[in-house]
Amino acid sequence: MEREVSTVGEKPAINQAGSENARPVRRESEKHTGTHVPFVHKDKHQDPEWDGSEVDFSHINTKKVLRKMDIRLIPNLALLYLLSFLDRGNIGNARIQGLTEDLGAFEPPSNLLLKRLRPSVWLPIIMVAWGIVMTSMGTVSNYGGLLSTRLFLGIAEAGLFPGVAYFLSEWYVREEMQYRQALFFSAASVAGAFSGLLAFAIAKMDGVGGYAGWRWIFILEGLLTVVIGVLSFWTLYDFPDTASFLSIEERAWVVHRLRYQGVSPEAKKVAQANRFQWRYVKAAFIDPQIYIGLIMYWGIVAPLYGISFFLPTIIRDLGYTASAAQLLTIPIYITAAAIAIISAYFSDRHGQRSPFILFFIGMIAIGFVVVLASTGRGVPGVVYAGVFIAVAGIYPAFPGNITWISNNLAGSYKRAAGMAIHIGAGNLAGAMASNFYRAQDGPNYYLGHSLELGFCVAGIIAAVALRIGYERVNKRRDAKGTGEMSPEELSDLGDKSPSFRYVL
């Protein structure tokens, strides 16, 4: 391996080789200064072997580094997901502006590619793709056209949320994850608010260019997505060890703590596996915790998608005009965003996931009980209050669920595959929820509300089962220890290692 020597004050020499398998260029320590600057990347891909241990980062101001990461990462990611959720929510908004009258109807490989192609390439590609499809939805003339474009929209968007959720786990350790997931996911809450507000304004273009107002909702917001997607090629960052806004010491600190997180303080120091092997992907597919967590996820996602698609219609059917229905969605989503961020802060601070998740899924269930008990009784304000309670539980529970599963999957590629399975299969609840609120069931929607409540109960049972299972495994590992196993063997086992402790 070629070694390049430079003094500490000089600008690091960069080797211009562009191979994906290229290794970092090592540099000699300046013994008289005590400063060791380990490497400069040849390219923009991760070095799976580097754990930062050869760098002295004892002087790092951790709060300052986290603040730098938050400022550079969260706003960009939040904007992407805001646009995604905005685009998906437009089906609900366009529906009350006349889409159904005009058309007569209504409607884990990505994570591995993100790791291989880099986030700054893969995420913008899928974003531009879904923006183009979204724009096309504004030009369809029949149900078949809407259905086909909606299908392609789902395919294009499928990789965004699991990709970003996994991406955050490559920057933040377990005790910091939910707060950042909530900041990012709360963009969906804000999107829910602005989706109604923008639709209210854009619908005023009804008749412009010979297009109905609902068509302009799709066209304009789809074009905005394409523009932001193109810009994202230059505004998104990849991984910590290639981050230009961090110093070498800061990169080493971030990478080192990520590689060694989740290990019991009494156990051997074990770095998490970071090199790709198919068996890590297979391990994710056969891990029971993902499938139990999937039921919990459905208990949150089914209500999320059902309400996102049909909240404006539900409010309109309570007796409000279409314009008022759009505006009445705004306070619900803004409140939900604030609760999600506050609860995530305390969840990270206490290092607990299940108590918060159970509380908020229970809140979702209470909301639907209120809705069912008051529907058809001439008290639309109480129905609205029940929906408000349900949404205020959905948005904090969602990032808690994603973070909990992410926290308990060890090894970079197993976590990538596991999160993709969990989120991808979990989003099937969205397909189910879109059919819960049938036109013939309005304005009471007893069937839809009852099905959502049933999913909530199943989610609560799954969350309790996960908590009990994790607790038992942790106690068993505390009692047995790691024995004579080597650090390499322990690392290879990932979250099945006796040195790993599950977050409760």
Side-chain angles (χ1 to χ4, degrees):
M1 169 62 104
E2 177 185 2
R3 302 173 67 90
E4 300 188 9
V5 182
S6 67
T7 63
V8 173
E10 290 178 328
K11 183 178 180 180
I14 306 292
N15 187 315
Q16 298 299 321
S19 168
E20 177 180 334
N21 296 320
R23 289 288 177 268
V25 178
R26 307 288 174 181
R27 302 170 60 191
E28 299 292 347
S29 298
E30 295 299 321
K31 295 182 180 179
H32 66 284
T33 65
T35 302
H36 183 102
V37 183
F39 73 90
V40 177
H41 269 286
K42 291 181 178 182
D43 57 27
K44 296 182 179 180
H45 291 271
Q46 279 186 303
D47 176 12
E49 302 297 332
W50 189 58
D51 66 359
S53 59
E54 60 190 52
V55 183
D56 178 13
F57 46 76
S58 58
H59 63 287
I60 291 295
N61 182 329
T62 59
K63 290 184 177 179
K64 179 181 177 182
V65 177
L66 288 173
R67 189 162 54 248
K68 285 169 67 174
M69 288 162 53
D70 290 343
I71 292 172
R72 300 297 183 106
L73 302 177
I74 303 300
N76 280 335
L77 298 176
L79 178 61
L80 299 190
Y81 195 60
L82 185 150
L83 290 171
S84 170
F85 204 84
L86 189 68
D87 291 347
R88 278 182 280 131
N90 280 339
I91 286 287
N93 290 317
R95 187 171 187 263
I96 68 171
Q97 294 295 346
L99 180 150
T100 51
E101 286 78 4
D102 281 8
L103 299 182
F106 182 78
E107 107 139 32
S110 179
N111 272 12
L112 301 179
L113 284 171
L114 179 143
K115 184 83 170 176
R116 299 297 292 174
L117 296 180
R118 301 175 9 227
S120 63
V121 173
W122 181 241
L123 294 179
I125 285 175
I126 61 178
M127 192 174 177
V128 170
W130 96 59
I132 293 171
V133 175
M134 185 72 185
T135 304
S136 301
M137 290 181 73
T139 64
V140 298
S141 57
N142 54 53
Y143 176 66
L146 175 65
L147 192 62
S148 61
T149 53
R150 184 67 179 153
L151 174 64
F152 284 111
L153 179 66
I155 293 172
E157 286 185 325
L160 182 68
F161 183 74
V164 173
Y166 167 68
F167 174 73
L168 288 173
S169 74
E170 291 287 286
W171 284 84
Y172 298 97
V173 294
R174 302 197 303 178
E175 297 78 12
E176 300 159 355
M177 272 288 292
Q178 187 168 337
Y179 181 64
R180 275 74 189 185
Q181 291 280 9
L183 287 173
F184 150 66
F185 180 69
S186 290
S189 301
V190 177
F194 281 97
S195 180
L197 188 61
L198 285 175
F200 174 70
I202 295 174
K204 300 297 183 183
M205 296 180 64
D206 189 44
V208 175
Y211 284 142
W214 68 263
R215 294 185 182 275
W216 283 113
I217 293 174
F218 289 123
I219 292 170
L220 293 183
E221 294 183 8
L223 290 174
L224 176 62
T225 300
V226 172
V227 171
I228 299 299
V230 171
L231 293 176
S232 296
F233 281 102
W234 292 276
T235 59
L236 287 179
Y237 292 91
D238 292 314
F239 297 104
D241 58 344
T242 63
S244 59
F245 66 91
L246 296 177
S247 68
I248 294 297
E249 291 79 9
E250 289 170 341
R251 296 183 203 178
W253 174 74
V254 174
V255 171
H256 188 270
R257 69 200 194 114
L258 286 168
R259 293 292 301 277
Y260 291 95
Q261 64 177 327
V263 178
S264 170
E266 294 78 23
K268 298 173 183 176
K269 190 176 182 182
V270 179
Q272 292 193 13
N274 198 38
R275 184 172 288 281
F276 177 77
Q277 293 186 37
W278 280 111
R279 59 195 178 93
Y280 296 141
V281 178
K282 179 182 177 182
F285 273 95
I286 62 175
D287 194 335
Q289 66 171 317
I290 292 176
Y291 298 100
I292 299 172
L294 177 61
I295 299 173
M296 173 180 65
Y297 190 39
W298 280 354
I300 301 166
V301 172
L304 167 66
Y305 278 91
I307 288 179
S308 298
F309 285 139
F310 293 100
L311 179 59
T313 301
I314 291 171
I315 295 175
R316 186 198 66 179
D317 286 344
L318 292 177
Y320 298 99
T321 64
S323 298
Q326 303 284 15
L327 297 176
L328 281 172
T329 65
I330 295 175
I332 295 180
Y333 289 117
I334 295 295
T335 302
I339 295 174
I341 293 171
I342 293 169
S343 65
Y345 170 80
F346 285 105
S347 179
D348 277 350
R349 184 174 181 179
H350 293 286
Q352 291 278 323
R353 305 296 179 216
S354 58
F356 293 88
I357 293 171
L358 285 167
F359 174 80
F360 286 112
I361 300 181
M363 194 169 165
I364 301 169
I366 291 171
F368 280 106
V369 168
V370 171
V371 170
L372 281 167
S374 55
T375 294
R377 298 180 181 274
V379 283
V382 178
V383 177
Y384 179 80
V387 173
F388 204 118
I389 293 169
V391 175
I394 290 169
Y395 282 81
F398 192 95
N401 157 73
I402 298 299
T403 303
W404 198 19
I405 295 298
S406 168
N407 286 170
N408 291 329
L409 293 171
S412 180
Y413 278 97
K414 182 183 179 181
R415 186 166 59 251
M419 292 181 71
I421 297 166
H422 179 67
I423 297 172
N427 284 339
L428 291 174
M432 292 183 278
S434 66
N435 294 297
F436 287 175
Y437 294 90
R438 304 177 304 175
Q440 62 265 38
D441 296 331
N444 295 325
Y445 298 109
Y446 289 119
L447 177 62
H449 298 324
S450 299
L451 288 170
E452 302 285 26
L453 180 59
F455 271 85
C456 291
V457 173
I460 290 172
I461 294 171
V464 170
L466 270 180
R467 165 81 188 208
I468 294 172
Y470 287 148
E471 203 163 18
R472 286 180 177 174
V473 172
N474 284 351
K475 288 179 180 178
R476 184 166 64 247
R477 290 176 181 177
D478 286 340
K480 290 186 176 181
T482 58
E484 300 300 319
M485 297 181 71
S486 68
E488 291 75 17
E489 291 173 318
L490 294 171
S491 176
D492 198 50
L493 289 172
D495 53 84
K496 303 304 179 186
S497 165
S499 65
F500 185 86
R501 297 296 180 270
Y502 290 112
V503 173
L504 303 178

